Amino acid sequence: MEETRVKTSSHGYELDKYMQKNVKPISMPRMQSFKRAETDDPGQSSHRATMETSIIKGLIVSYFDTVRKTINDMVPKTVMAFLVNKAKNQSQHVLVQKIYSEGVNLNELLAEDQETKMQREKTE
């Protein structure tokens, strides 16, 4: 059985666990940098070609708008995943250590705040 290890950078982020493993690179055949339409091509009527071109342009613009929106949505989520969650976990670890350290009076830590107690009694 093969053991999976998560590589971490110098900052401790687990980047490699999100990367795909064993993906072979794809190589496309060499193509010309441009292709001119033939004059006798029946699909090259000026009205039809103009309409198809405008449809393709619209689809490309729509696609890039969708990609831009997706990237804009992913940035805060990524920041949350890498920075905020890591800070939250570290602070929780420190707090638990302090609670269970020697010489800490749990009754004092769990006591109700005096202002909250007064507000509760006033409300009752």
Side-chain angles (χ1 to χ4, degrees):
M1 184 179 268
E2 190 175 306
E3 181 182 335
T4 354
R5 292 186 182 170
V6 178
K7 295 180 184 176
T8 57
S9 69
S10 62
H11 300 292
Y13 301 130
E14 300 174 349
L15 296 176
D16 289 341
K17 79 176 183 183
Y18 300 105
M19 303 297 177
Q20 292 181 349
K21 308 285 190 259
N22 303 327
V23 176
K24 295 180 182 177
I26 299 172
S27 61
M28 300 295 289
R30 187 108 173 117
M31 302 289 288
Q32 296 177 345
S33 59
F34 64 91
K35 182 158 177 84
R36 297 191 187 273
E38 303 292 328
T39 55
D40 59 345
D41 188 357
Q44 291 298 319
S45 67
S46 63
H47 176 67
R48 179 181 171 140
T50 306
M51 183 181 69
E52 287 177 355
T53 304
S54 65
I55 289 172
I56 291 171
K57 282 181 182 179
L59 290 172
I60 290 172
V61 167
S62 174
Y63 172 75
F64 281 116
D65 286 343
T66 304
V67 170
R68 186 179 302 116
K69 183 181 181 306
T70 303
I71 295 293
N72 286 339
D73 288 345
M74 287 173 58
V75 168
K77 292 175 184 174
T78 304
V79 168
M80 184 73 157
F82 285 112
L83 298 177
V84 176
N85 286 340
K86 185 173 181 180
K88 179 189 75 165
N89 291 337
Q90 287 178 345
S91 63
Q92 181 180 3
H93 180 69
V94 169
L95 290 173
V96 168
Q97 269 184 336
K98 290 205 182 252
I99 287 175
Y100 289 109
S101 65
E102 290 182 32
V104 175
N105 185 359
L106 285 179
N107 290 332
E108 185 180 310
L109 287 176
L110 297 174
E112 185 176 19
D113 184 41
Q114 289 299 321
E115 289 182 29
T116 308
K117 184 177 179 180
M118 289 172 51
Q119 185 69 28
R120 180 178 47 79
E121 289 172 353
K122 182 180 173 184
T123 305
E124 285 176 351

